[in-house]
Amino acid sequence: MTIELSKEARKEAIASIERYFRENMEEPIGNIAAGALLGFFVEEVGPLIYNRAVSEVQERLQARISELDIEVHEDEFQYWRKYERKPRERK
């Protein structure tokens, strides 16, 4: 699965990379180089982050599913029990 960024997200990410280089590195980075660096990280590291997120969602869903039987459990064969609790009046 290819990870795609929207145009707006890509634009903001490139601006963030440029700012990071301005504030933390000796050499600034240009727009094209920042875009290439972003593309590299999205392709190289993006799947790692994506797969981790999917794994965490699976764990959370599995935990919710395991609790589902408690939340929606219905006891079987309850018809006669409701009559055993209340004696029926006969006429």
Side-chain angles (χ1 to χ4, degrees), residues 20-29:
Y20 179 85
F21 269 76
R22 269 194 318 273
E23 294 183 11
N24 296 292
M25 306 302 252
E26 292 179 18
E27 295 278 329
I29 190 170

Side-chain angles (χ1 to χ4, degrees), residues 17-53:
I17 291 169
E18 290 175 310
R19 180 178 178 183
Y20 179 85
F21 269 76
R22 269 194 318 273
E23 294 183 11
N24 296 292
M25 306 302 252
E26 292 179 18
E27 295 278 329
I29 190 170
N31 189 276
I32 293 173
L37 184 61
L38 174 62
F40 169 76
F41 280 118
V42 167
E43 190 173 335
E44 188 70 9
V45 182
L48 172 72
I49 297 166
Y50 176 84
N51 291 338
R52 177 66 188 260

Side-chain angles (χ1 to χ4, degrees), residues 1-13:
M1 175 176 185
T2 303
I3 298 172
E4 299 280 333
L5 300 177
S6 69
K7 286 182 180 183
E8 185 60 34
R10 182 173 171 77
K11 181 180 173 184
E12 288 184 38

